[in-house]
């Protein structure tokens, strides 16, 4: 029955007459006093001593009438059973406080206005307050709802409190405040839900706090805050989620904290903060995730910490940070477990803080395009080379950028040796990838296949460049090679000279009587005896093993030694050996010297 005036109440007779509980409620509403029925607990069903008809409650919430004016404090009712539908659609009501009340049917309040709403501890079949305007707080702490709580498009001038509530929307939405405006914070601490909790596109003036909540999304998302504007932090610490927690496109004025949460996603995804803007840091400490954690394209003003996290991406990505920006440190330390791809393709990090053990847990890593201003972690070159080797290949294609960037960091921080080693490692891996692509017929940049001979020559030159000068990044190594060749040739030449297997490199001298007399005689070292201080050849070029070696190995030098002397293959084993070895040393000398010149001049070094 619709009650509009006090006269309507006076007409109630017989079974419809006011109960003692209803008379008490009217009197207390006039005086601004709370009405507590029974022991104040939630009634399981209708009882005459605790039942309040919905029509009377509506009359009082609308302020009563001139004969029954409701106090400014509004209706404060505890422990009542509300019979029939509470229909306040499009109404302008006073402050509503219905604590630990049971509702027989749905509570309709869409497009209505309230001073404040308190439904703490009450049992609801559902509440529709779409488009409602509530000047103060909305408190649903401890509420149990078997239907959807609808606050989409609502305007709340204070806080939204749902701590400890149990909301069940089945496979649909348990709580829907999409497009709403909440001037204060939203508190869902300890909330348990069956169905999606939605703040899609909402504006929240404080923080969104979901610590220790248990959110089960059913067929949808567990938490939907896509494109929401949250002025302060989002706190998901200790949360247990079954379904996707989506913050994609959200703007968060504080930090996003997900410490010690346990997330089980759907469709391979557990936490989605793609393209989100987070002014503070992101904390995933000791997070246990079954599904992809994605911050692709996100802008993070503070740090990003994965300390102690267990990231199980199943068959996909464990962590997706493609294109994200981290204004402070990215902590990849003390990570406990990683299953799936860690993708930081194109990410920009202010500081990369890592450890070898945590990267060792990653079997599939993509760092192509990732940049960082500072690296705080192990400088072990063996580890860094392996780290880059795994991270620089994507889709079977090698990308040199991760090597170039690490070398740039080392060079700018004064670690030139480490920079050179990384660049050499890059050249090695790049050439391996190229050779593999050619073998597999995937070298699309060439329209013809290199002949085997030319390929072999190119491979030999490539190996020479690597061994002699570290692909141009270690030019001083080429001088060591030259010195080694000279030293070997010097030793061989001296042994051959001492064995008497050298001869003048002149046809005139070789046919002269003086040389023939000594060479065909009993002398064991004819070249030395012929060119001695009192010998016929005393004015001839004196043999020096070191000068001879320089003449052989360094093609740009002409010290006259090879013009004057030559090993004789006919005189003995040493002469025979050196006769052929010398030709090999001439070729090696040309190759090494050419590579040395190119390395020193920078012709074969690419610092791009």
């Amino acid at each position: 029955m619709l009650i509009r005036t006090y006269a309507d109440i006076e007409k109630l007779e017989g079974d419809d007459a006011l109960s003692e509980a209803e008379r008490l409620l009217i009197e207390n509403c006039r005086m601004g006093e709370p009405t507590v029925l029974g022991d104040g607990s939630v009634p399981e069903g209708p009882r005459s001593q605790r039942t309040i008809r919905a029509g009377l409650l509506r009359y009082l919430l609308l302020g009563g009438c001139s004969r029954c004016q409701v106090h400014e404090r509004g209706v404060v009712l505890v422990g009542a059973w509300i019979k029939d539908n509470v229909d306040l659609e499009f109404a302008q009501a006073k402050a509503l406080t219905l604590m630990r009340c049971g509702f027989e049917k749905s509570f309709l309040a869409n497009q209505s206005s309230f001073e404040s709403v308190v439904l703490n501890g009450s049992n609801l079949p559902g509440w529709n307050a779409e488009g409602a305007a509530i000047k103060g707080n909305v408190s649903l702490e401890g509420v149990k709802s078997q239907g959807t709580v609808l606050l989409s498009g609502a305007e709340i001038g204070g806080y939204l409190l749902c701590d400890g509530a149990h909301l069940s929307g089945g496979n649909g939405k348990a709580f829907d405040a999409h497009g709403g405006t909440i001037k204060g914070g939203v508190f869902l601490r300890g909330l348990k839900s069956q169905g999606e909790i939605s703040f899609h596109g909402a504006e929240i003036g404080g923080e969104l706090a979901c610590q220790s909540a248990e959110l089960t999304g059913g067929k949808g998302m567990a938490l939907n805050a896509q494109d929401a504007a949250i002025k302060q932090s989002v706190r998901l610490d200790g949360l247990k989620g079954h379904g996707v927690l989506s913050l994609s496109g959200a703007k968060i004025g504080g930090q996003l904290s997900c410490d010690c949460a346990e997330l089980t996603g759907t469709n391979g995804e557990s936490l989605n903060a793609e393209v989100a803007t987070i002014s503070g840091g992101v904390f995933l400490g000791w997070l246990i995730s079954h599904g992809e954690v994605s911050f692709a394209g996100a802008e993070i003003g503070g740090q990003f910490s994965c300390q102690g996290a267990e990231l199980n991406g199943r068959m996909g990505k464990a962590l997706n940070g493609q294109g994200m920006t981290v204004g402070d440190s990215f902590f990849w330390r003390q990570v406990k477990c990683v299953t799936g791809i860690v993708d930081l393709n194109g990410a920009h990090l202010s500081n990369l803080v890592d450890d070898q053990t945590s990267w060792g847990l990653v079997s599939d890593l993509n760092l192509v395009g990732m940049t960082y201003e500072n690296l705080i972690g192990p400088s072990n070159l063996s580890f860094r080379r392996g780290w880059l080797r795994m991270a620089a290949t994507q889709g079977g294609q090698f990308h040199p950028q991760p090597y170039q960037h690490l070398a740039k960091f080392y060079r700018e921080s004064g670690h030139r040796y480490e920079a050179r080693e990384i660049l050499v490692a890059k050249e090695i891996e790049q050439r391996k990838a190229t050779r593999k692509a050619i073998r597999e017929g995937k070298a699309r940049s060439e329209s013809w296949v290199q002949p085997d001979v030319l390929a072999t020559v190119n491979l030999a030159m490539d190996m020479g460049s690597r061994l002699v000068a570290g692909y141009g990044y270690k030019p001083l190594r080429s001088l060591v090679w030259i010195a080694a060749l000279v030293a070997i040739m010097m030793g061989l030449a001296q042994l051959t000279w001492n064995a008497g297997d050298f001869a003048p490199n002149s046809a005139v001298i070789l046919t002269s009587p003086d040389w023939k007399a000594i060479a065909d005689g009993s002398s064991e070292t004819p070249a030395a005896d012929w060119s001695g201080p009192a010998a016929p050849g005393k004015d001839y070029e004196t043999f020096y093993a070191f000068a001879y070696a320089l003449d052989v190995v360094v093609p740009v030098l002409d010290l006259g030694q090879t013009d004057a002397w030559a090993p004789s293959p006919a005189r003995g084993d040493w002469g025979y050996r050196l006769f052929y070895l010398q030709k090999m040393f001439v070729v090696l000398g040309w190759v090494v010297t050419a590579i040395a010149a190119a390395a020193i001049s920078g012709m074969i070094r690419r610092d791009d």
Side-chain angles (χ1 to χ4, degrees), residues 1 68 92 157 162 177 209 212 236 274 367 377 390 416 429 479 497 502 548:
M1 176 181 177
C68 179
Q92 187 171 351
C162 291
S212 302
L236 309 176
E274 295 179 359
L367 302 181
M390 177 172 56
R416 297 189 176 278
E429 295 302 320
L479 301 181
W497 178 266
F502 261 102
Y548 185 86

Side-chain angles (χ1 to χ4, degrees), residues 350-429:
S350 180
N351 302 309
L352 173 57
V353 185
D354 61 1
D355 63 36
Q356 185 170 346
T357 303
S358 296
W359 288 122
L361 299 172
V362 182
S363 59
D364 198 341
L365 178 62
N366 182 8
L367 302 181
V368 176
M370 184 185 78
T371 59
Y372 40 89
E373 298 173 16
N374 193 23
L375 176 60
I376 304 171
S379 58
N380 182 291
L381 280 174
S382 177
F383 156 64
R384 288 299 175 191
R385 281 191 290 258
W387 179 60
L388 292 172
R389 191 182 305 117
M390 177 172 56
T393 301
Q394 184 179 8
Q397 183 177 358
F398 177 81
H399 296 267
Q401 185 274 338
Y403 287 87
Q404 292 287 151
H405 189 74
L406 180 57
K408 176 177 178 287
F409 164 74
Y410 277 142
R411 187 167 54 248
E412 291 179 351
S413 60
H415 295 82
R416 297 189 176 278
Y417 170 77
E418 288 82 358
R420 288 195 300 269
E421 290 295 321
I422 292 299
L423 290 171
V424 170
K426 178 206 71 172
E427 297 292 341
I428 293 171
E429 295 302 320

Side-chain angles (χ1 to χ4, degrees), residues 71-202:
H71 194 276
E72 290 80 0
R73 293 175 183 170
V75 177
V76 182
L77 179 59
V78 181
W81 176 262
I82 311 300
K83 183 181 177 181
D84 295 329
N85 278 92
V86 178
D87 186 353
L88 291 168
E89 291 183 314
F90 301 97
Q92 187 171 351
K94 288 183 171 291
L96 167 64
T97 301
L98 300 178
M99 297 176 63
R100 297 188 294 281
C101 292
F103 287 75
E104 182 181 37
K105 296 181 179 180
S106 296
F107 184 177
L108 303 178
N110 51 304
Q111 303 298 325
S112 59
S113 63
F114 294 89
E115 295 295 322
S116 63
V117 174
V118 178
L119 297 173
N120 293 351
S122 295
N123 289 348
L124 297 167
W127 182 34
N128 184 348
E130 292 182 295
I134 302 154
K135 293 181 180 179
N137 299 330
V138 172
S139 182
L140 306 176
E141 293 181 329
V143 162
K144 293 182 179 179
S145 174
Q146 289 73 49
T148 305
V149 174
L150 288 171
L151 284 165
S152 56
E155 295 184 7
I156 300 173
Y159 295 100
L160 173 59
L161 307 170
C162 291
D163 291 346
H166 289 64
L167 308 180
S168 177
N171 291 327
K173 293 182 179 180
F175 184 95
D176 186 0
H178 79 269
T181 301
I182 301 108
K183 295 294 180 66
V186 174
F187 298 91
L188 311 179
R189 296 166 297 196
L191 171 74
K192 294 183 179 180
S193 67
Q194 293 285 336
E196 180 180 313
I197 303 294
S198 178
F199 290 93
H200 186 179

